[in-house]
Amino acid sequence: MAIILDGKIMAAELMEGLKARVDALKEKNVSVGLAVILVGEDPASQVYVRNKGKACEELGILSETIRLPENTTQKELENLIDKLNQDDRMDGILVQLPLPRHLDEAAVLRKIIPEKDVDGFHIENAGKLFTGQTGVTACTPKGIMHMLKKGNVPLSGKEAVVIGRSNIVGKPIAMLLLNENCTVTICHSRTQDLAAHTKNADILVAAVGKAKFVTADMVKPGAAVIDVGINRVDGKVVGDVDYAEVEKIAGYITPVPGGVGKMTIGMLTENTIESAERKAQ
Ligand code: GUN
């Protein structure tokens, strides 16, 4: 039976510390604010954006969600970002992804000043991660590292396998694990013999987007299995890992829901608070 890395418990503990940091800033008359931009009507994005707002409210962070229609132009979106870049009330600017297809995502993300890029998606922050400099770290990868450390999962010298090569999760988590001296393999949809890789993994991160994609026969006994998936099956939210079977042989496992997702939102608020703390200095 695996040790459960419980996102609910870890996030609650994290939020307590964050609340104290927001209160300390308020005592110095420093506000903390997050602007979230949602373009279009993607149902999953609407849920994520609502949860981000709730977390801010819980901590006493000013949060403003700006909802724009599906047919918003590149210029309109970039003008809004410009305005928010200059708005001293806002310490973080987050553009919910995916954007409608007619918009240039990379150009939009570059428009956010790196100091307010609380998602860590700006090329400057991504570049800093890849060159070992301090920048803003993407929320989901940062949350995963927090869970591994809180769970005392050994990292140095261990084999880490990441399934998925997105800019949001796969690539940054690979880099963070490398920084902790893991030997890192990134697998993806064209990987030949995926199981041959995953069976070697002491740390296995699944960021695929397919329910029950990681089965027990793919997992090394005792491995730490980190499930980043959020899939809806018959109205229920499930991860990428066949939890019931993998849980029997893994050493550590994150549940879905109540795992990585909870940490992602915690890290978003932490990145926002860190931005406000920089402003206060
Ligand atoms: N869409 C899926 N994950 C994320 C995330 O972490 N940030 C943003 N902005 N959009 C997302």
Side-chain angles (χ1 to χ4, degrees), residues 209-248:
K210 288 191 184 135
K212 292 194 182 177
F213 185 84
V214 173
T215 47
D217 56 310
M218 295 166 70
V219 175
K220 178 175 173 177
V225 179
I226 308 297
D227 191 348
V228 187
I230 301 179
N231 309 295
R232 273 171 190 80
V233 177
D234 303 330
K236 258 180 64 182
V237 173
V238 299
D240 291 343
V241 175
D242 182 356
Y243 186 91
E245 293 304 315
V246 171
E247 180 265 336
K248 293 177 190 162

Coordinates of all heavy atoms in Angstrom, one line a residue, residues 209-248:
G209 N -3.3 13.2 -19.9 CA -4.7 13.6 -20.2 C -5.5 12.4 -20.7 O -6.5 12.6 -21.5
K210 N -5.2 11.2 -20.2 CA -6.0 10.0 -20.6 C -6.2 9.2 -19.3 O -5.3 8.8 -18.7 CB -5.3 9.2 -21.6 CG -5.2 9.8 -23.0 CD -4.7 8.8 -24.0 CE -4.6 9.5 -25.4 NZ -3.3 9.1 -26.1
A211 N -7.5 8.9 -19.0 CA -7.8 8.2 -17.8 C -7.2 6.8 -17.9 O -7.2 6.1 -18.9 CB -9.4 8.1 -17.7
K212 N -6.8 6.3 -16.7 CA -6.2 5.0 -16.6 C -5.0 4.7 -17.6 O -4.8 3.5 -18.0 CB -7.2 3.9 -16.7 CG -8.2 3.9 -15.5 CD -9.0 2.7 -15.4 CE -10.0 2.8 -14.2 NZ -10.9 1.7 -14.1
F213 N -4.3 5.7 -18.0 CA -3.2 5.5 -18.9 C -2.1 4.7 -18.3 O -1.4 3.9 -18.9 CB -2.8 6.9 -19.4 CG -1.7 6.8 -20.5 CD1 -2.1 6.7 -21.8 CD2 -0.4 6.9 -20.2 CE1 -1.2 6.6 -22.8 CE2 0.6 6.9 -21.2 CZ 0.2 6.7 -22.5
V214 N -1.8 5.1 -17.1 CA -0.7 4.4 -16.4 C -1.2 3.2 -15.6 O -2.0 3.4 -14.6 CB 0.1 5.3 -15.4 CG1 1.1 4.6 -14.6 CG2 0.8 6.5 -16.2
T215 N -0.9 2.0 -16.0 CA -1.4 0.8 -15.3 C -0.3 0.2 -14.5 O 0.9 0.5 -14.6 CB -1.8 -0.2 -16.4 OG1 -0.8 -0.3 -17.4 CG2 -3.1 0.2 -17.1
A216 N -0.7 -0.7 -13.6 CA 0.2 -1.3 -12.6 C 1.4 -1.9 -13.2 O 2.6 -1.8 -12.7 CB -0.5 -2.2 -11.7
D217 N 1.3 -2.6 -14.3 CA 2.4 -3.3 -15.0 C 3.5 -2.3 -15.5 O 4.6 -2.7 -15.9 CB 1.9 -4.2 -16.1 CG 1.1 -3.4 -17.1 OD1 0.2 -2.7 -16.7 OD2 1.4 -3.5 -18.3
M218 N 3.2 -1.0 -15.5 CA 4.1 0.0 -16.0 C 4.9 0.6 -14.9 O 5.8 1.4 -15.1 CB 3.4 1.1 -16.7 CG 2.7 0.7 -18.0 SD 1.5 2.0 -18.6 CE 2.6 3.2 -19.1
V219 N 4.6 0.2 -13.6 CA 5.2 0.9 -12.5 C 6.1 0.0 -11.7 O 5.9 -1.2 -11.5 CB 4.0 1.4 -11.5 CG1 4.6 2.0 -10.3 CG2 3.1 2.3 -12.3
K220 N 7.3 0.6 -11.4 CA 8.3 -0.1 -10.5 C 7.8 -0.2 -9.1 O 7.3 0.9 -8.5 CB 9.6 0.7 -10.6 CG 10.7 0.2 -9.8 CD 12.0 1.0 -10.1 CE 13.1 0.6 -9.1 NZ 14.4 1.4 -9.4
P221 N 7.8 -1.3 -8.5 CA 7.4 -1.4 -7.1 C 8.1 -0.4 -6.2 O 9.4 -0.2 -6.3 CB 7.8 -2.8 -6.7 CG 7.7 -3.6 -7.9 CD 8.2 -2.6 -9.0
G222 N 7.4 0.3 -5.4 CA 8.0 1.3 -4.5 C 8.1 2.7 -5.1 O 8.5 3.7 -4.4
A223 N 7.8 2.9 -6.4 CA 8.0 4.2 -7.0 C 7.0 5.3 -6.5 O 6.0 4.9 -5.9 CB 7.7 4.0 -8.5
A224 N 7.4 6.5 -6.6 CA 6.5 7.6 -6.3 C 5.8 8.0 -7.6 O 6.4 8.4 -8.6 CB 7.3 8.8 -5.8
V225 N 4.5 7.9 -7.6 CA 3.7 8.1 -8.8 C 2.9 9.4 -8.6 O 2.0 9.5 -7.7 CB 2.8 6.9 -9.1 CG1 1.9 7.1 -10.3 CG2 3.6 5.6 -9.2
I226 N 3.2 10.3 -9.5 CA 2.6 11.7 -9.4 C 1.6 11.8 -10.6 O 2.0 11.8 -11.7 CB 3.6 12.8 -9.5 CG1 4.8 12.5 -8.5 CG2 3.0 14.2 -9.4 CD1 4.3 12.6 -7.0
D227 N 0.3 12.0 -10.3 CA -0.7 12.0 -11.3 C -1.2 13.4 -11.5 O -1.8 14.0 -10.7 CB -1.9 11.1 -10.8 CG -2.9 10.8 -11.8 OD1 -2.9 11.5 -12.9 OD2 -3.8 10.0 -11.6
V228 N -0.9 13.9 -12.7 CA -1.2 15.3 -13.0 C -2.5 15.4 -13.8 O -3.1 16.5 -14.1 CB -0.1 16.0 -13.8 CG1 -0.3 17.5 -14.0 CG2 1.3 15.8 -13.1
G229 N -3.1 14.2 -14.2 CA -4.3 14.2 -15.1 C -5.5 14.7 -14.4 O -5.7 14.5 -13.2
I230 N -6.4 15.4 -15.2 CA -7.7 15.7 -14.7 C -8.6 15.3 -15.9 O -8.7 16.0 -16.9 CB -7.9 17.2 -14.4 CG1 -6.9 17.7 -13.3 CG2 -9.3 17.6 -14.0 CD1 -7.0 19.2 -13.0
N231 N -9.2 14.2 -15.7 CA -10.1 13.6 -16.8 C -11.5 13.4 -16.3 O -11.7 13.0 -15.1 CB -9.5 12.3 -17.3 CG -8.1 12.4 -17.7 OD1 -7.7 13.1 -18.6 ND2 -7.2 11.7 -17.0
R232 N -12.5 13.7 -17.1 CA -13.9 13.5 -16.6 C -14.4 12.2 -17.3 O -14.4 12.0 -18.5 CB -14.8 14.6 -17.0 CG -14.7 15.7 -16.0 CD -15.4 17.0 -16.3 NE -15.1 18.0 -15.3 CZ -14.0 18.7 -15.2 NH1 -13.0 18.5 -16.1 NH2 -13.7 19.5 -14.2
V233 N -14.7 11.2 -16.4 CA -15.3 9.9 -16.9 C -16.6 9.7 -16.1 O -16.6 9.6 -14.9 CB -14.3 8.8 -16.6 CG1 -14.9 7.4 -17.0 CG2 -13.0 9.0 -17.3
D234 N -17.7 9.6 -16.9 CA -19.0 9.4 -16.3 C -19.3 10.4 -15.2 O -19.8 10.0 -14.1 CB -19.2 7.9 -15.8 CG -18.9 6.9 -16.8 OD1 -19.2 7.2 -18.0 OD2 -18.4 5.8 -16.5
G235 N -19.0 11.6 -15.5 CA -19.3 12.7 -14.5 C -18.3 12.8 -13.3 O -18.5 13.6 -12.5
K236 N -17.3 11.8 -13.3 CA -16.4 11.8 -12.2 C -15.0 12.3 -12.7 O -14.6 12.0 -13.8 CB -16.2 10.4 -11.6 CG -17.0 10.2 -10.3 CD -16.8 8.7 -9.8 CE -15.4 8.4 -9.4 NZ -15.3 7.0 -9.0
V237 N -14.3 13.0 -11.8 CA -12.9 13.4 -12.1 C -11.9 12.3 -11.8 O -11.9 11.9 -10.6 CB -12.6 14.8 -11.4 CG1 -11.1 15.1 -11.6 CG2 -13.5 15.9 -11.9
V238 N -11.2 11.9 -12.7 CA -10.1 10.9 -12.5 C -8.8 11.4 -13.1 O -8.8 12.2 -14.0 CB -10.5 9.5 -13.0 CG1 -11.8 9.0 -12.4 CG2 -10.7 9.6 -14.5
G239 N -7.7 10.8 -12.6 CA -6.4 11.2 -13.1 C -6.0 10.3 -14.3 O -6.8 9.7 -15.0
D240 N -4.7 10.3 -14.6 CA -4.1 9.5 -15.7 C -3.7 8.1 -15.2 O -3.2 7.3 -16.0 CB -2.8 10.2 -16.2 CG -3.2 11.5 -17.0 OD1 -4.4 11.7 -17.4 OD2 -2.3 12.3 -17.2
V241 N -3.7 7.9 -13.9 CA -3.2 6.7 -13.3 C -4.4 5.8 -12.9 O -5.3 6.3 -12.3 CB -2.3 7.0 -12.1 CG1 -1.8 5.8 -11.4 CG2 -1.1 7.9 -12.5
D242 N -4.2 4.5 -13.1 CA -5.2 3.5 -12.6 C -5.0 3.4 -11.1 O -4.3 2.5 -10.7 CB -5.0 2.2 -13.4 CG -6.0 1.1 -12.9 OD1 -6.8 1.4 -12.0 OD2 -6.0 0.0 -13.5
Y243 N -5.5 4.3 -10.4 CA -5.2 4.4 -8.9 C -5.4 3.2 -8.1 O -4.5 2.8 -7.4 CB -6.1 5.6 -8.4 CG -5.7 5.9 -6.9 CD1 -4.8 6.9 -6.7 CD2 -6.3 5.3 -5.9 CE1 -4.4 7.3 -5.4 CE2 -6.0 5.6 -4.6 CZ -5.0 6.6 -4.3 OH -4.7 6.9 -3.0
A244 N -6.5 2.5 -8.3 CA -6.9 1.3 -7.5 C -5.8 0.2 -7.6 O -5.4 -0.4 -6.6 CB -8.2 0.8 -7.9
E245 N -5.2 0.0 -8.8 CA -4.2 -1.0 -9.0 C -2.8 -0.5 -8.7 O -2.0 -1.2 -8.0 CB -4.3 -1.5 -10.5 CG -5.6 -2.3 -10.8 CD -5.8 -3.4 -9.9 OE1 -4.9 -4.2 -9.6 OE2 -7.0 -3.6 -9.4
V246 N -2.5 0.7 -9.1 CA -1.1 1.2 -8.9 C -0.8 1.4 -7.5 O 0.3 1.2 -7.0 CB -0.9 2.5 -9.8 CG1 0.4 3.2 -9.4 CG2 -1.0 2.2 -11.3
E247 N -1.9 1.8 -6.7 CA -1.7 2.1 -5.3 C -1.2 0.9 -4.5 O -0.5 1.1 -3.5 CB -3.1 2.6 -4.9 CG -3.3 3.0 -3.5 CD -3.9 1.9 -2.6 OE1 -4.5 0.9 -3.2 OE2 -3.6 1.9 -1.4
K248 N -1.5 -0.3 -5.1 CA -1.1 -1.5 -4.4 C 0.4 -1.7 -4.4 O 1.0 -2.4 -3.6 CB -1.8 -2.7 -5.0 CG -3.3 -2.7 -4.7 CD -3.9 -3.9 -5.5 CE -5.4 -3.8 -5.4 NZ -6.0 -4.7 -6.5

